[in-house]
Amino acid sequence: MVLGHAESAVLAFDVGGTDVKAGLVDPSGNVLGMRRVPTPLDPLNPGEAVLDRLAGLADELASEFPDIPAKAAGVIVPGIVDSVGGIGIYSANLGWRNFPFTAEAEKRLGLPVAFDHDVRSAAAVERAFGGSKEFNDVVVMVVGTGIAAAVFSGGVPVTAGGFAGELGHAQVPDPDAGTAATITEPIGATILEAVGSAGAIAKRYSRKSGNTVDGARDVLLRSQKGDAVAARVWADAVDALAFTICQCVNIIGTEAVVIGGGLAEAGEDLLEPLRARVDQILDFQRRPRLIQAQLGQDAGLLGAALNARALLDGAR
Amino acid sequence: MVLGHAESAVLAFDVGGTDVKAGLVDPSGNVLGMRRVPTPLDPLNPGEAVLDRLAGLADELASEFPDIPAKAAGVIVPGIVDSVGGIGIYSANLGWRNFPFTAEAEKRLGLPVAFDHDVRSAAAVERAFGGSKEFNDVVVMVVGTGIAAAVFSGGVPVTAGGFAGELGHAQVPDPDAGTAATITEPIGATILEAVGSAGAIAKRYSRKSGNTVDGARDVLLRSQKGDAVAARVWADAVDALAFTICQCVNIIGTEAVVIGGGLAEAGEDLLEPLRARVDQILDFQRRPRLIQAQLGQDAGLLGAALNARALLDGAR
């Protein structure tokens, strides 16, 4: 994939909850020397530990491709990210709070660094090359172990200082709530991630059935073979995802929802019941187009490279 | 209130579900000859009936102020509004579908017409002059008989072709649902307007208590005097409003919510429990500032006048 016409190579780092992906993106947009290593977890110095690992990866790539010097680096991370201030505000999984990523990364890498949010960066690539490019009001959801999202309004990313797109933490009705709310009890609600993520599907099925299960895909297969508990858990996930999608439609008039991540691999087994449920919930509102993400696991790395290119071009 | 330095007077029309407000706004921004008449309801020609009434009001104002000729008119209406195309796409209360307001209004009034959404136009005035001007990510909610809203992201209105801001129709948990969802039943959900509006508070209290009640304010007074049913209904409304506010926070990182309309007249009796409930629902997210709207019933009329001024200035 060609990422523009910049003449410089850039380093790209996609820091995830489990793995760090790294590569050198050459002037033509080819990803060279791509590698994946476990994300270092240091509870005391979580940000520093990650950046030390990135510096090591940068050295490896410099040795492997001595004739293609990188002129900038793109670093993307999960959680709440202030890309303007260069701060990793919060990551529940990786543990940092208000860590100055841009400044510390520039120190270690000796390069200008474009620091940004993982899903917003991947979503920008998905928007540019995937099935949602004709729409201006788009939500890109990555549904895997957790749920993250990037929101676009009028073709522009909605960031709100890094606090937008927390769809995984948006409230949904709790399918396990026994009774409705009373004055003295909180509403029977939970968060989307606890019902609609691939992780939640596997966990809820195991808890309800007592059977160990190999991920959300296994729950879907069991449901298709007539397992009523599996069918219930899958339907609960669809209900929860539809609930949140309809919130987006009502609040910001979302026209298209792109669904990526592990759960999207279910394809129409997910999208078809999801469309039906969304249609049932909505009234006079426009029905949003539900689209499977076209770009795979590398969209983040490409997004990080695009951010670094934009930095060199003076566009960020 | 001075609305800028344009040298021309404009007509302003705020078409509501019950009343039409009209006035001539002079070059200094003073509203002259303000009047309020019932909104004509013609099920067969709802758009035409309204515009005929506006033309009559324009004639009255022209006779009353012969020396202050209007150079443009601002018309605002509720429902789903495509202000760019000049179309009233849908109004549940007033009955039109895809009515070409701008073209038809210009024909009847003989003036250039700025056509827009009532709450978005009032919210722009509230944003410019009220308590939310320091914030970029703002939701302005008008909570009265129904609930309408205007959404701002990064300081810019989110319109989505007129489909954004339908907060009154966003789903909330149904406080009257007896049981949780199962595969065969829909989720125990209703819409915000059916629980959190001033209209719903009066209606739900009457239904549950068998007592006739004089609006939401009466329910609040009864609750303060120890009426448990009134307290329950008020708390349900607070819960529902908090639920939707938290959806905005999670989806678009809303920093401030301005609450206007009849229910906002309850002031801290509404805002204080609402802040507490929002705080309880949210986790790591920023707490949004909850602010009472400062501008009263005339914000719509001023917004319509601002739209007409902007049209004359070439700014729309």
Short mmCIF file of all heavy atoms in Angstrom, two decimals, chain A residues 5-71:
data_model
loop_
_atom_site.label_atom_id
_atom_site.label_comp_id
_atom_site.label_asym_id
_atom_site.label_seq_id
_atom_site.Cartn_x
_atom_site.Cartn_y
_atom_site.Cartn_z
N HIS A 5 3.51 10.34 -1.04
CA HIS A 5 4.69 10.51 -1.87
C HIS A 5 5.89 11.06 -1.11
O HIS A 5 6.82 11.56 -1.70
CB HIS A 5 4.35 11.41 -3.06
CG HIS A 5 3.22 10.86 -3.86
ND1 HIS A 5 3.37 9.80 -4.70
CD2 HIS A 5 1.91 11.19 -3.90
CE1 HIS A 5 2.19 9.49 -5.24
NE2 HIS A 5 1.30 10.32 -4.78
N ALA A 6 5.82 10.95 0.24
CA ALA A 6 6.95 11.46 1.01
C ALA A 6 8.20 10.69 0.60
O ALA A 6 8.14 9.53 0.20
CB ALA A 6 6.70 11.28 2.49
N GLU A 7 9.34 11.37 0.71
CA GLU A 7 10.58 10.72 0.27
C GLU A 7 11.32 10.04 1.40
O GLU A 7 12.39 9.47 1.20
CB GLU A 7 11.49 11.75 -0.39
CG GLU A 7 10.97 12.12 -1.77
CD GLU A 7 11.74 13.26 -2.38
OE1 GLU A 7 12.89 13.46 -1.98
OE2 GLU A 7 11.19 13.93 -3.26
N SER A 8 10.77 10.10 2.60
CA SER A 8 11.50 9.57 3.75
C SER A 8 10.87 8.30 4.28
O SER A 8 9.65 8.12 4.22
CB SER A 8 11.52 10.60 4.88
OG SER A 8 11.98 11.84 4.39
N ALA A 9 11.73 7.42 4.81
CA ALA A 9 11.25 6.25 5.53
C ALA A 9 10.90 6.66 6.96
O ALA A 9 11.44 7.63 7.49
CB ALA A 9 12.32 5.17 5.55
N VAL A 10 9.97 5.93 7.55
CA VAL A 10 9.59 6.22 8.95
C VAL A 10 9.49 4.90 9.72
O VAL A 10 9.24 3.84 9.14
CB VAL A 10 8.24 6.97 9.05
CG1 VAL A 10 8.33 8.35 8.41
CG2 VAL A 10 7.11 6.15 8.43
N LEU A 11 9.69 4.99 11.03
CA LEU A 11 9.44 3.85 11.91
C LEU A 11 7.99 3.89 12.36
O LEU A 11 7.43 4.97 12.59
CB LEU A 11 10.35 3.92 13.14
CG LEU A 11 11.84 3.69 12.91
CD1 LEU A 11 12.63 4.08 14.15
CD2 LEU A 11 12.09 2.23 12.54
N ALA A 12 7.40 2.69 12.49
CA ALA A 12 6.02 2.62 12.96
C ALA A 12 5.93 1.63 14.10
O ALA A 12 6.45 0.51 13.99
CB ALA A 12 5.09 2.22 11.81
N PHE A 13 5.30 2.06 15.19
CA PHE A 13 5.14 1.22 16.37
C PHE A 13 3.68 1.21 16.80
O PHE A 13 3.10 2.27 17.05
CB PHE A 13 5.98 1.75 17.55
CG PHE A 13 7.46 1.79 17.29
CD1 PHE A 13 8.09 2.99 17.00
CD2 PHE A 13 8.21 0.63 17.33
CE1 PHE A 13 9.45 3.04 16.77
CE2 PHE A 13 9.58 0.67 17.10
CZ PHE A 13 10.21 1.88 16.81
N ASP A 14 3.12 0.04 16.92
CA ASP A 14 1.74 -0.12 17.39
C ASP A 14 1.80 -0.88 18.72
O ASP A 14 2.02 -2.09 18.75
CB ASP A 14 0.94 -0.91 16.35
CG ASP A 14 -0.51 -1.15 16.78
OD1 ASP A 14 -0.89 -0.72 17.88
OD2 ASP A 14 -1.25 -1.79 16.00
N VAL A 15 1.64 -0.13 19.82
CA VAL A 15 1.75 -0.71 21.16
C VAL A 15 0.38 -1.20 21.60
O VAL A 15 -0.54 -0.39 21.81
CB VAL A 15 2.29 0.34 22.16
CG1 VAL A 15 2.37 -0.26 23.56
CG2 VAL A 15 3.63 0.88 21.72
N GLY A 16 0.20 -2.51 21.72
CA GLY A 16 -1.08 -3.06 22.14
C GLY A 16 -1.01 -3.61 23.55
O GLY A 16 0.05 -3.60 24.19
N GLY A 17 -2.14 -4.09 24.04
CA GLY A 17 -2.18 -4.64 25.38
C GLY A 17 -1.36 -5.91 25.52
O GLY A 17 -0.85 -6.22 26.60
N THR A 18 -1.17 -6.64 24.43
CA THR A 18 -0.44 -7.91 24.46
C THR A 18 0.90 -7.81 23.74
O THR A 18 1.94 -8.20 24.27
CB THR A 18 -1.29 -9.01 23.79
OG1 THR A 18 -2.61 -8.95 24.32
CG2 THR A 18 -0.70 -10.39 24.04
N ASP A 19 0.86 -7.26 22.52
CA ASP A 19 2.06 -7.21 21.67
C ASP A 19 2.39 -5.80 21.26
O ASP A 19 1.52 -4.95 21.15
CB ASP A 19 1.80 -7.99 20.36
CG ASP A 19 1.63 -9.47 20.59
OD1 ASP A 19 2.33 -10.02 21.48
OD2 ASP A 19 0.80 -10.08 19.89
N VAL A 20 3.68 -5.62 20.96
CA VAL A 20 4.11 -4.42 20.23
C VAL A 20 4.43 -4.86 18.81
O VAL A 20 5.18 -5.82 18.61
CB VAL A 20 5.38 -3.81 20.86
CG1 VAL A 20 5.91 -2.67 19.99
CG2 VAL A 20 5.11 -3.34 22.27
N LYS A 21 3.84 -4.18 17.82
CA LYS A 21 4.23 -4.42 16.43
C LYS A 21 5.11 -3.27 15.99
O LYS A 21 4.86 -2.12 16.33
CB LYS A 21 2.99 -4.51 15.54
CG LYS A 21 2.41 -5.92 15.52
CD LYS A 21 1.17 -6.00 14.67
CE LYS A 21 -0.03 -5.65 15.50
NZ LYS A 21 -1.30 -5.74 14.78
N ALA A 22 6.14 -3.61 15.21
CA ALA A 22 7.07 -2.58 14.74
C ALA A 22 7.48 -2.87 13.31
O ALA A 22 7.48 -4.03 12.87
CB ALA A 22 8.31 -2.56 15.64
N GLY A 23 7.79 -1.82 12.58
CA GLY A 23 8.27 -1.99 11.22
C GLY A 23 8.87 -0.70 10.70
O GLY A 23 8.65 0.37 11.27
N LEU A 24 9.64 -0.84 9.62
CA LEU A 24 10.19 0.32 8.93
C LEU A 24 9.36 0.49 7.67
O LEU A 24 9.24 -0.46 6.88
CB LEU A 24 11.66 0.07 8.59
CG LEU A 24 12.37 1.16 7.81
CD1 LEU A 24 12.58 2.41 8.66
CD2 LEU A 24 13.72 0.64 7.28
N VAL A 25 8.79 1.66 7.49
CA VAL A 25 7.96 1.89 6.31
C VAL A 25 8.77 2.72 5.33
O VAL A 25 9.15 3.86 5.63
CB VAL A 25 6.64 2.58 6.70
CG1 VAL A 25 5.76 2.79 5.48
CG2 VAL A 25 5.89 1.72 7.73
N ASP A 26 9.06 2.13 4.17
CA ASP A 26 9.96 2.80 3.23
C ASP A 26 9.24 3.89 2.46
O ASP A 26 8.01 4.05 2.59
CB ASP A 26 10.64 1.76 2.33
CG ASP A 26 9.75 1.24 1.21
OD1 ASP A 26 8.63 1.76 1.02
OD2 ASP A 26 10.16 0.31 0.51
N PRO A 27 9.98 4.69 1.65
CA PRO A 27 9.35 5.82 0.96
C PRO A 27 8.17 5.41 0.07
O PRO A 27 7.26 6.21 -0.16
CB PRO A 27 10.49 6.41 0.12
CG PRO A 27 11.72 6.08 0.91
CD PRO A 27 11.46 4.71 1.49
N SER A 28 8.14 4.16 -0.39
CA SER A 28 7.02 3.73 -1.24
C SER A 28 5.84 3.21 -0.43
O SER A 28 4.81 2.82 -1.00
CB SER A 28 7.48 2.62 -2.19
OG SER A 28 8.61 3.04 -2.91
N GLY A 29 5.98 3.14 0.88
CA GLY A 29 4.87 2.67 1.72
C GLY A 29 4.94 1.19 2.04
O GLY A 29 3.98 0.64 2.59
N ASN A 30 6.04 0.51 1.69
CA ASN A 30 6.19 -0.90 2.04
C ASN A 30 6.63 -1.03 3.50
O ASN A 30 7.51 -0.30 3.94
CB ASN A 30 7.23 -1.57 1.14
CG ASN A 30 6.85 -1.43 -0.32
OD1 ASN A 30 5.76 -1.80 -0.73
ND2 ASN A 30 7.76 -0.84 -1.11
N VAL A 31 6.04 -1.99 4.20
CA VAL A 31 6.45 -2.24 5.58
C VAL A 31 7.57 -3.28 5.56
O VAL A 31 7.38 -4.41 5.09
CB VAL A 31 5.27 -2.75 6.43
CG1 VAL A 31 5.71 -2.95 7.88
CG2 VAL A 31 4.10 -1.78 6.37
N LEU A 32 8.74 -2.89 6.04
CA LEU A 32 9.92 -3.76 6.02
C LEU A 32 10.23 -4.23 7.44
O LEU A 32 10.06 -3.47 8.40
CB LEU A 32 11.12 -2.99 5.49
CG LEU A 32 10.94 -2.30 4.13
CD1 LEU A 32 12.18 -1.48 3.79
CD2 LEU A 32 10.64 -3.33 3.04
N GLY A 33 10.70 -5.47 7.54
CA GLY A 33 11.19 -5.98 8.82
C GLY A 33 10.15 -6.00 9.91
O GLY A 33 10.47 -5.84 11.09
N MET A 34 8.88 -6.22 9.53
CA MET A 34 7.83 -6.18 10.55
C MET A 34 8.08 -7.25 11.60
O MET A 34 8.42 -8.39 11.29
CB MET A 34 6.47 -6.39 9.95
CG MET A 34 5.42 -6.25 11.03
SD MET A 34 3.87 -5.67 10.41
CE MET A 34 2.96 -7.19 10.37
N ARG A 35 7.92 -6.89 12.85
CA ARG A 35 8.07 -7.85 13.95
C ARG A 35 7.06 -7.58 15.04
O ARG A 35 6.51 -6.48 15.14
CB ARG A 35 9.49 -7.80 14.50
CG ARG A 35 9.90 -6.47 15.04
CD ARG A 35 11.41 -6.37 15.02
NE ARG A 35 11.90 -6.33 13.66
CZ ARG A 35 13.13 -6.68 13.27
NH1 ARG A 35 14.01 -7.10 14.16
NH2 ARG A 35 13.49 -6.61 12.01
N ARG A 36 6.86 -8.59 15.86
CA ARG A 36 5.87 -8.51 16.94
C ARG A 36 6.52 -9.09 18.19
O ARG A 36 7.03 -10.23 18.14
CB ARG A 36 4.67 -9.35 16.52
CG ARG A 36 3.51 -9.36 17.48
CD ARG A 36 2.55 -10.47 17.11
NE ARG A 36 1.74 -10.16 15.95
CZ ARG A 36 0.42 -9.94 16.00
NH1 ARG A 36 -0.22 -10.01 17.16
NH2 ARG A 36 -0.26 -9.69 14.92
N VAL A 37 6.55 -8.32 19.24
CA VAL A 37 7.15 -8.79 20.50
C VAL A 37 6.15 -8.53 21.63
O VAL A 37 5.30 -7.66 21.50
CB VAL A 37 8.49 -8.06 20.80
CG1 VAL A 37 9.51 -8.29 19.70
CG2 VAL A 37 8.26 -6.57 21.02
N PRO A 38 6.26 -9.29 22.74
CA PRO A 38 5.33 -9.05 23.85
C PRO A 38 5.49 -7.63 24.41
O PRO A 38 6.61 -7.11 24.48
CB PRO A 38 5.75 -10.08 24.90
CG PRO A 38 6.55 -11.11 24.17
CD PRO A 38 7.20 -10.40 23.02
N THR A 39 4.38 -7.01 24.77
CA THR A 39 4.44 -5.68 25.39
C THR A 39 5.02 -5.82 26.80
O THR A 39 4.50 -6.60 27.59
CB THR A 39 3.03 -5.06 25.48
OG1 THR A 39 2.46 -5.06 24.18
CG2 THR A 39 3.08 -3.65 26.04
N PRO A 40 6.09 -5.10 27.11
CA PRO A 40 6.64 -5.19 28.47
C PRO A 40 5.69 -4.52 29.47
O PRO A 40 5.19 -3.44 29.21
CB PRO A 40 7.96 -4.42 28.37
CG PRO A 40 7.80 -3.52 27.21
CD PRO A 40 6.83 -4.16 26.26
N LEU A 41 5.43 -5.21 30.57
CA LEU A 41 4.54 -4.66 31.59
C LEU A 41 5.34 -4.41 32.86
O LEU A 41 5.80 -5.35 33.50
CB LEU A 41 3.41 -5.65 31.88
CG LEU A 41 2.46 -5.93 30.70
CD1 LEU A 41 1.50 -7.06 31.02
CD2 LEU A 41 1.68 -4.67 30.34
N ASP A 42 5.53 -3.14 33.16
CA ASP A 42 6.25 -2.79 34.39
C ASP A 42 5.33 -1.88 35.20
O ASP A 42 5.14 -0.72 34.86
CB ASP A 42 7.55 -2.05 34.02
CG ASP A 42 8.33 -1.61 35.25
OD1 ASP A 42 7.74 -1.53 36.36
OD2 ASP A 42 9.53 -1.34 35.11
N PRO A 43 4.73 -2.42 36.27
CA PRO A 43 3.73 -1.64 37.01
C PRO A 43 4.28 -0.33 37.55
O PRO A 43 3.54 0.64 37.68
CB PRO A 43 3.34 -2.56 38.17
CG PRO A 43 3.86 -3.91 37.84
CD PRO A 43 4.99 -3.74 36.88
N LEU A 44 5.56 -0.27 37.84
CA LEU A 44 6.12 0.96 38.41
C LEU A 44 6.46 1.99 37.34
O LEU A 44 6.28 3.18 37.55
CB LEU A 44 7.37 0.63 39.24
CG LEU A 44 7.08 -0.17 40.52
CD1 LEU A 44 8.36 -0.46 41.28
CD2 LEU A 44 6.09 0.60 41.42
N ASN A 45 7.00 1.51 36.21
CA ASN A 45 7.37 2.44 35.13
C ASN A 45 6.80 1.94 33.80
O ASN A 45 7.56 1.58 32.90
CB ASN A 45 8.90 2.54 35.03
CG ASN A 45 9.50 3.09 36.32
OD1 ASN A 45 9.26 4.22 36.69
ND2 ASN A 45 10.27 2.26 37.01
N PRO A 46 5.49 1.92 33.68
CA PRO A 46 4.90 1.30 32.49
C PRO A 46 5.27 2.00 31.19
O PRO A 46 5.56 1.34 30.19
CB PRO A 46 3.40 1.37 32.76
CG PRO A 46 3.22 2.45 33.78
CD PRO A 46 4.47 2.44 34.61
N GLY A 47 5.29 3.33 31.19
CA GLY A 47 5.61 4.07 29.97
C GLY A 47 7.07 3.90 29.58
O GLY A 47 7.39 3.63 28.42
N GLU A 48 7.97 4.03 30.57
CA GLU A 48 9.40 3.89 30.30
C GLU A 48 9.71 2.49 29.75
O GLU A 48 10.50 2.35 28.81
CB GLU A 48 10.24 4.11 31.58
CG GLU A 48 10.31 5.55 32.06
CD GLU A 48 9.15 5.94 32.97
OE1 GLU A 48 8.13 5.20 33.04
OE2 GLU A 48 9.25 7.01 33.60
N ALA A 49 9.11 1.45 30.35
CA ALA A 49 9.39 0.08 29.92
C ALA A 49 9.02 -0.11 28.44
O ALA A 49 9.77 -0.72 27.67
CB ALA A 49 8.62 -0.90 30.79
N VAL A 50 7.87 0.45 28.06
CA VAL A 50 7.44 0.33 26.66
C VAL A 50 8.42 1.06 25.74
O VAL A 50 8.86 0.53 24.71
CB VAL A 50 6.01 0.88 26.49
CG1 VAL A 50 5.69 1.17 25.03
CG2 VAL A 50 5.00 -0.11 27.07
N LEU A 51 8.80 2.28 26.14
CA LEU A 51 9.69 3.06 25.26
C LEU A 51 11.08 2.43 25.16
O LEU A 51 11.71 2.48 24.09
CB LEU A 51 9.78 4.51 25.75
CG LEU A 51 8.50 5.32 25.55
CD1 LEU A 51 8.71 6.75 26.03
CD2 LEU A 51 8.06 5.32 24.09
N ASP A 52 11.57 1.81 26.24
CA ASP A 52 12.86 1.12 26.16
C ASP A 52 12.77 -0.01 25.12
O ASP A 52 13.70 -0.21 24.33
CB ASP A 52 13.25 0.55 27.53
CG ASP A 52 13.63 1.67 28.51
OD1 ASP A 52 13.87 2.82 28.04
OD2 ASP A 52 13.68 1.41 29.73
N ARG A 53 11.64 -0.71 25.12
CA ARG A 53 11.46 -1.78 24.13
C ARG A 53 11.43 -1.20 22.71
O ARG A 53 12.03 -1.74 21.79
CB ARG A 53 10.17 -2.55 24.44
CG ARG A 53 9.84 -3.67 23.49
CD ARG A 53 10.83 -4.84 23.51
NE ARG A 53 11.11 -5.35 24.84
CZ ARG A 53 10.44 -6.35 25.45
NH1 ARG A 53 9.45 -6.94 24.82
NH2 ARG A 53 10.77 -6.73 26.65
N LEU A 54 10.77 -0.07 22.53
CA LEU A 54 10.71 0.55 21.19
C LEU A 54 12.11 0.96 20.73
O LEU A 54 12.46 0.78 19.55
CB LEU A 54 9.79 1.79 21.18
CG LEU A 54 8.32 1.60 21.54
CD1 LEU A 54 7.51 2.82 21.08
CD2 LEU A 54 7.73 0.34 20.95
N ALA A 55 12.91 1.47 21.66
CA ALA A 55 14.27 1.89 21.28
C ALA A 55 15.08 0.67 20.82
O ALA A 55 15.83 0.74 19.83
CB ALA A 55 14.95 2.57 22.47
N GLY A 56 14.90 -0.45 21.49
CA GLY A 56 15.58 -1.68 21.08
C GLY A 56 15.14 -2.12 19.69
O GLY A 56 15.96 -2.51 18.84
N LEU A 57 13.85 -2.05 19.44
CA LEU A 57 13.32 -2.43 18.11
C LEU A 57 13.85 -1.48 17.04
O LEU A 57 14.17 -1.91 15.91
CB LEU A 57 11.79 -2.40 18.14
CG LEU A 57 11.12 -3.50 18.97
CD1 LEU A 57 9.67 -3.15 19.27
CD2 LEU A 57 11.20 -4.85 18.23
N ALA A 58 13.95 -0.20 17.37
CA ALA A 58 14.48 0.78 16.41
C ALA A 58 15.93 0.43 16.05
O ALA A 58 16.32 0.50 14.86
CB ALA A 58 14.38 2.19 16.99
N ASP A 59 16.71 0.03 17.05
CA ASP A 59 18.10 -0.35 16.79
C ASP A 59 18.17 -1.57 15.87
O ASP A 59 18.97 -1.61 14.93
CB ASP A 59 18.82 -0.67 18.12
CG ASP A 59 19.10 0.60 18.92
OD1 ASP A 59 19.02 1.71 18.34
OD2 ASP A 59 19.39 0.47 20.13
N GLU A 60 17.33 -2.56 16.14
CA GLU A 60 17.29 -3.76 15.30
C GLU A 60 16.99 -3.40 13.84
O GLU A 60 17.64 -3.88 12.91
CB GLU A 60 16.21 -4.73 15.77
CG GLU A 60 16.50 -5.45 17.08
CD GLU A 60 15.30 -6.29 17.52
OE1 GLU A 60 14.55 -6.77 16.62
OE2 GLU A 60 15.12 -6.44 18.73
N LEU A 61 15.98 -2.54 13.66
CA LEU A 61 15.58 -2.18 12.30
C LEU A 61 16.66 -1.35 11.61
O LEU A 61 16.88 -1.50 10.39
CB LEU A 61 14.24 -1.41 12.33
CG LEU A 61 13.01 -2.28 12.66
CD1 LEU A 61 11.83 -1.43 13.09
CD2 LEU A 61 12.63 -3.16 11.46
N ALA A 62 17.35 -0.51 12.38
CA ALA A 62 18.45 0.29 11.79
C ALA A 62 19.59 -0.63 11.33
O ALA A 62 20.19 -0.40 10.27
CB ALA A 62 18.95 1.31 12.81
N SER A 63 19.87 -1.70 12.11
CA SER A 63 20.92 -2.63 11.71
C SER A 63 20.50 -3.44 10.48
O SER A 63 21.30 -3.75 9.60
CB SER A 63 21.22 -3.62 12.84
OG SER A 63 21.46 -2.95 14.04
N GLU A 64 19.23 -3.80 10.45
CA GLU A 64 18.74 -4.66 9.36
C GLU A 64 18.65 -3.88 8.04
O GLU A 64 18.85 -4.45 6.97
CB GLU A 64 17.36 -5.20 9.76
CG GLU A 64 16.86 -6.39 8.95
CD GLU A 64 15.54 -6.94 9.50
OE1 GLU A 64 15.24 -6.72 10.70
OE2 GLU A 64 14.80 -7.56 8.70
N PHE A 65 18.34 -2.59 8.12
CA PHE A 65 18.17 -1.78 6.90
C PHE A 65 19.05 -0.53 6.99
O PHE A 65 18.53 0.60 7.06
CB PHE A 65 16.70 -1.39 6.72
CG PHE A 65 15.77 -2.56 6.66
CD1 PHE A 65 15.08 -2.97 7.79
CD2 PHE A 65 15.63 -3.28 5.48
CE1 PHE A 65 14.24 -4.07 7.74
CE2 PHE A 65 14.78 -4.38 5.43
CZ PHE A 65 14.08 -4.78 6.55
N PRO A 66 20.38 -0.72 6.94
CA PRO A 66 21.28 0.44 7.14
C PRO A 66 21.15 1.48 6.03
O PRO A 66 21.47 2.66 6.25
CB PRO A 66 22.67 -0.20 7.15
CG PRO A 66 22.51 -1.52 6.46
CD PRO A 66 21.11 -1.98 6.73
N ASP A 67 20.64 1.11 4.87
CA ASP A 67 20.56 2.06 3.75
C ASP A 67 19.24 2.84 3.72
O ASP A 67 19.01 3.65 2.82
CB ASP A 67 20.71 1.32 2.41
CG ASP A 67 22.04 0.58 2.35
OD1 ASP A 67 22.97 1.00 3.07
OD2 ASP A 67 22.12 -0.42 1.62
N ILE A 68 18.33 2.53 4.67
CA ILE A 68 17.02 3.19 4.67
C ILE A 68 16.82 3.88 6.01
O ILE A 68 16.09 3.39 6.87
CB ILE A 68 15.88 2.19 4.39
CG1 ILE A 68 16.21 1.31 3.17
CG2 ILE A 68 14.56 2.91 4.17
CD1 ILE A 68 15.21 0.22 2.88
N PRO A 69 17.45 5.03 6.21
CA PRO A 69 17.35 5.68 7.52
C PRO A 69 15.96 6.29 7.74
O PRO A 69 15.43 6.96 6.85
CB PRO A 69 18.42 6.78 7.46
CG PRO A 69 18.59 7.06 6.00
CD PRO A 69 18.28 5.80 5.25
N ALA A 70 15.40 6.03 8.92
CA ALA A 70 14.10 6.60 9.26
C ALA A 70 14.28 8.06 9.65
O ALA A 70 15.24 8.43 10.31
CB ALA A 70 13.47 5.83 10.42
N LYS A 71 13.33 8.90 9.22
CA LYS A 71 13.39 10.34 9.50
C LYS A 71 12.42 10.76 10.60
O LYS A 71 12.44 11.89 11.07
CB LYS A 71 13.09 11.13 8.22
CG LYS A 71 14.20 10.99 7.17
CD LYS A 71 15.44 11.71 7.63
CE LYS A 71 16.64 11.72 6.70
NZ LYS A 71 16.66 10.92 5.51
#
